[in-house]
Amino acid sequence: MTAFANEPTNGPSNGPTGGSANGEAIRVEGVAKRFGSVTALRDVNLRLGTGEVLGLIGDNGAGKSTLIKVLSGYHRPDRGRILIHGEPAALRSVQHARALGIETVYQDLALINSLPVYLNLHLNKEPVRWPFLRKRIMRQRARRYLDDMGINIPSVNSEVANLSGGQRQAIAVARAVYSEARILLLDEPLAAMGAKEGAIILDLIRMLRERGDVSMIIIAHNYGQIFDVCDRINLLQHGEITVDKPTSETSVEELVELVAREYRVSGLAADQGQVLADVREGAGS
Amino acid sequence: MATRQERSAGSATQPPAGPPPPSDRAMGRAGNAVARAAFTGASAGLLRMRELSVLIVVVALSIYFAVSNPAFASAQNAAVIASFTASAAIIAAGEVMLLVSGELDLSVGMTFAMTPFILLWAMDLGAPFIVALFVALAGAALVGVVNGVVTVGLGVHSFITTLGTLFLVHGVTLIISGSFPKPAPSKGFVTQVLGGWPWAQILWAIVIVIVMHAVLTGTRWGTYTIATGGNPTGASEAGIKIRRIKMRNFIACAVLGGFAGIVEGIHVTQSFDPNAGGNELMFTAIAAAVIGGTALAGGSGTVIGAFLGAVVLGVLRNGFTLQGISANTYFVILGVAIIASMVLNTQLSRFRREAKAG
């Protein structure tokens, strides 16, 4: 098995900025999701081109994680339609989304502390010679994945409980990347990382982007960090996409301003100066 | 291409090659080995150490009792210990699966007593023994299904659910048995296999322990059980059906309890007693699991440890009886052993965290 087993099947690969050339990986139409009295997603319309990297930004509570969980099959939307590679798909479960080539790195990483690295890397995808897990194969693959990605973890037998935040994050990302995914959803992939570890993940995203066969949605609170690797930025506010711009037509400063404007308009913030400072800090890399 | 570094994969307790060593402050002289194990093999290593330490306790106790009372080291007495240990060990294997997935079953001691009467009922209807056996185990499985549906389906804590079924099953047993013991079947090949041979009961326990150990450490079921107890949210985000896993463990625990009840009746008492097993057996099994190193919080545990835990309790009880020490003292020791085990568990994991932070 090669590291990136899914060779492009959709014709010539897209350039880094030509995301829309070969059709759509994901189209979301009018999706809404409520939890009791809380409306998490009001009316989301979103498009992810094949091979495109979409940065999804927005304030805490804007619904970013909920949207990711809808697309990963974890939550079912109350209304609206989702098309995967042009086909309408009622995502029934994580398994179902996975079968359609959608892999997710959740904010909480979904790692099992008391299991070793190699089992976490294969969680729910274990090779089996019934009834037993093929542990030797899993260990070999895990070692190769980590070496390929330049992640420094001494033993694949270590339990993830004993690893640093960055190492844990790297394992969660590696798990999604090496699963033959066509669509990758990354919820705060840089959250627990130091600058050096974050660079590994960013390099990996760049590498996948250049290959052009994996489409990605990246959520980042700290959007200065991911700006460079994105083709397009969508701003999610109060459960709706309010801004959709190619990164070539915007800047980190403009995004800071867009997010800050929300505070002024909605009057949520008592002290705008403080809020602006907070937002700028959040955007800084 | 895939061969490099693979040699290091084999041993969990090997010292790490890569990570910086923890500071001298965190690593005391005595704790050196523990910290190393914590760094590489982590709880897998700790669980191996735990199994080993319980084994040492078994050997030490056996030597002590053998020296102080010659009757202890006889084949006859070994059979007594084996028969006390066997049922607790079989049930503990089921409880370990449940505990690791974050649940527990208080009703299994009652399922132990009920299942033989379902067997008799089916045989009274004319079913051959082997068919009646499967009917009886299906009856035990039904208790597991009820425990599972109420717990994972309706969201009642398993402590409450199985406390309810404990009384329910006990009541059903008393009703269908008329509150009187009945003779156990003693003829036929299957009966002989189940309990007729002198060491049948403990052999069954050993076979079940080996199988359940393989299930917990080597199969998807076991891995998902650990994942379900260790991080339920993460497990379901990874697409693991945690309800299905818990359901399966409830059923496994109940079926093992029922099986143990039938074997015990055939092998030891040659009769089925509606008041057999019960809460004392259930608590002995849970105590064995805890002494063996299974965390009540879920996410980690060992079937072999639980078996050794059951042997410790069996040896202790038997040894005390031979010494003429009353059962009351045994309970005191049992209580101390459980608490000491839990303290050891929590302290070891705290030490692990500190070694890591340092």
Side-chain angles (χ1 to χ4, degrees):
Chain A
M1 253 216 201
T2 57
F4 297 92
N6 47 335
E7 292 304 318
T9 53
N10 54 328
S13 111
N14 303 310
T17 52
S20 59
N22 278 313
E24 289 168 343
I26 296 181
R27 175 185 278 274
V28 175
E29 292 175 349
V31 158
K33 177 74 188 171
R34 294 172 66 93
F35 297 101
S37 62
V38 179
T39 304
L41 302 174
R42 197 175 304 274
D43 178 21
V44 173
N45 294 284
L46 174 145
R47 204 180 53 74
L48 175 68
T50 305
E52 191 180 35
V53 180
L54 175 68
L56 184 63
I57 67 172
D59 207 22
N60 291 334
K64 302 183 303 265
S65 290
T66 306
L67 179 56
I68 290 293
K69 287 192 170 184
V70 165
L71 292 175
S72 69
Y74 189 80
H75 289 319
R76 302 192 64 170
D78 301 330
R79 274 194 293 114
R81 207 158 77 110
I82 297 169
L83 291 89
I84 306 296
H85 300 299
E87 299 284 323
L91 301 171
R92 287 187 302 273
S93 64
V94 174
Q95 227 73 309
H96 182 209
R98 225 178 230 180
L100 295 170
I102 302 172
E103 281 291 332
T104 313
V105 177
Y106 296 98
Q107 208 167 353
D108 60 19
L109 304 183
L111 297 176
I112 312 301
N113 275 336
S114 50
L115 287 176
V117 169
Y118 72 91
L119 275 176
N120 269 287
L121 275 170
H122 292 88
L123 197 60
N124 206 15
K125 286 175 294 222
E126 302 86 354
V128 167
R129 187 191 286 141
W130 201 89
F132 293 113
L133 302 171
R134 309 189 71 171
K135 291 189 174 180
R136 206 169 57 86
I137 288 178
M138 284 194 274
R139 287 196 184 101
Q140 287 171 356
R141 276 193 206 160
R143 181 37 68 198
R144 201 173 66 229
Y145 293 169
L146 297 178
D147 288 350
D148 284 354
M149 278 177 71
I151 299 166
N152 179 25
I153 291 170
S155 167
V156 294
N157 294 313
S158 306
E159 284 184 29
V160 294
N162 299 326
L163 304 179
S164 72
Q167 287 172 320
R168 291 162 55 84
Q169 194 98 43
I171 287 167
V173 173
R175 176 166 72 187
V177 167
Y178 287 97
S179 57
E180 312 190 9
R182 304 284 310 280
I183 297 168
L184 213 50
L185 309 173
L186 305 170
D187 193 351
E188 296 281 4
L190 304 173
M193 310 203 105
K196 198 177 140 205
E197 290 169 324
I200 292 171
I201 303 295
L202 288 171
D203 284 345
L204 187 79
I205 292 169
R206 279 194 200 96
M207 183 168 84
L208 291 171
R209 182 189 180 200
E210 269 157 36
R211 297 178 64 102
D213 54 349
V214 180
S215 318
M216 279 180 270
I217 298 179
I218 304 174
I219 289 185
H221 191 68
N222 193 345
Y223 37 88
Q225 281 185 316
I226 59 147
F227 189 80
D228 291 341
V229 298
C230 292
D231 299 310
R232 214 149 45 83
I233 301 284
N234 278 9
L235 175 60
L236 188 64
Q237 289 178 309
H238 303 305
E240 286 178 74
I241 304 283
T242 52
V243 174
D244 178 7
K245 284 192 172 187
T247 40
S248 54
E249 293 171 21
T250 184
S251 63
V252 175
E253 289 71 28
E254 188 190 11
L255 296 173
V256 171
E257 181 60 25
L258 282 168
V259 175
R261 191 188 299 157
E262 181 193 357
Y263 284 93
R264 288 194 218 107
V265 173
S266 63
L268 282 171
D271 183 349
Q272 289 179 6
Q274 183 55 46
V275 170
L276 261 176
D278 286 351
V279 171
R280 289 227 163 85
E281 197 182 324
S285 54
Chain B
M1 171 180 169
T3 53
R4 75 194 125 144
Q5 299 248 335
E6 279 317 303
R7 237 122 283 155
S8 69
S11 159
T13 48
Q14 201 173 327
S23 74
D24 295 341
R25 179 176 51 78
M27 256 168 58
R29 283 148 282 125
N32 212 320
V34 178
R36 280 213 196 133
F39 254 83
T40 41
S43 85
L46 279 181
L47 288 176
R48 289 298 90 76
M49 280 175 54
R50 187 56 179 269
E51 288 164 3
L52 199 66
S53 60
V54 180
L55 183 64
I56 291 168
V57 171
V58 170
V59 173
L61 282 176
S62 303
I63 292 172
Y64 169 74
F65 285 125
V67 168
S68 55
N69 193 329
F72 181 85
S74 64
Q76 211 177 353
N77 192 50
V80 173
I81 295 173
S83 91
F84 177 86
T85 304
S87 290
I90 293 172
I91 291 174
E95 289 282 6
V96 166
M97 294 296 286
L98 259 180
L99 289 170
V100 171
S101 62
E103 304 292 344
L104 89 172
D105 182 358
L106 301 177
S107 67
V108 64
M110 297 305 177
T111 310
F112 174 95
M114 179 188 75
T115 311
F117 287 98
I118 303 178
L119 178 90
L120 289 183
W121 170 79
M123 288 180 80
D124 284 347
L125 292 179
F129 182 83
I130 187 83
V131 175
L133 178 66
F134 280 104
V135 170
L137 293 180
L142 186 66
V143 178
V145 170
V146 171
N147 285 338
V149 166
V150 175
T151 302
V152 301
L154 303 176
V156 178
H157 195 286
S158 56
F159 186 95
I160 304 298
T161 308
T162 59
L163 186 64
T165 48
L166 182 161
F167 289 112
L168 195 155
V169 170
H170 185 46
V172 168
T173 309
L174 293 177
I175 291 168
I176 61 175
S177 67
S179 301
F180 279 105
K182 288 183 180 173
S186 57
K187 295 188 185 69
F189 176 70
V190 184
T191 316
Q192 291 302 307
V193 171
L194 277 180
W197 299 345
W199 297 90
Q201 196 187 14
I202 191 72
L203 284 177
W204 275 112
I206 289 169
V207 167
I208 286 168
V209 164
I210 290 170
V211 169
M212 294 315 284
H213 174 76
V215 166
L216 183 59
T217 60
T219 68
R220 281 192 168 171
W221 178 9
T223 304
Y224 297 171
T225 294
I226 295 169
T228 298
N231 182 355
T233 312
S236 37
E237 282 173 347
I240 292 169
K241 305 258 188 282
I242 62 171
R243 294 171 169 211
R244 193 178 296 175
I245 293 295
K246 287 184 175 184
M247 193 77 198
R248 206 186 280 187
N249 289 335
F250 273 115
I251 294 171
C253 187
V255 168
L256 287 175
F259 182 77
I262 291 173
V263 173
E264 169 116 351
I266 292 175
H267 183 76
V268 184
T269 53
Q270 282 91 44
S271 74
F272 292 149
D273 182 349
N275 290 308
N279 294 337
E280 193 184 336
L281 178 61
M282 175 270 294
F283 281 124
T284 303
I286 292 180
V290 169
I291 290 169
T294 296
L296 279 172
S300 96
T302 136
V303 177
I304 290 178
F307 174 78
L308 294 171
V311 176
V312 167
L313 295 178
V315 168
L316 262 183
R317 189 177 184 124
N318 176 264
F320 279 13
T321 311
L322 290 181
Q323 305 273 66
I325 299 169
S326 77
N328 304 348
T329 315
Y330 165 77
F331 285 123
V332 171
I333 298 288
L334 176 58
V336 171
I338 291 170
I339 292 169
S341 304
M342 288 315 288
V343 169
L344 197 64
N345 270 356
T346 42
Q347 291 306 306
L348 274 182
S349 51
R350 179 183 297 172
F351 179 79
R352 225 169 106 195
R353 278 197 302 276
E354 280 169 5
K356 190 183 149 201

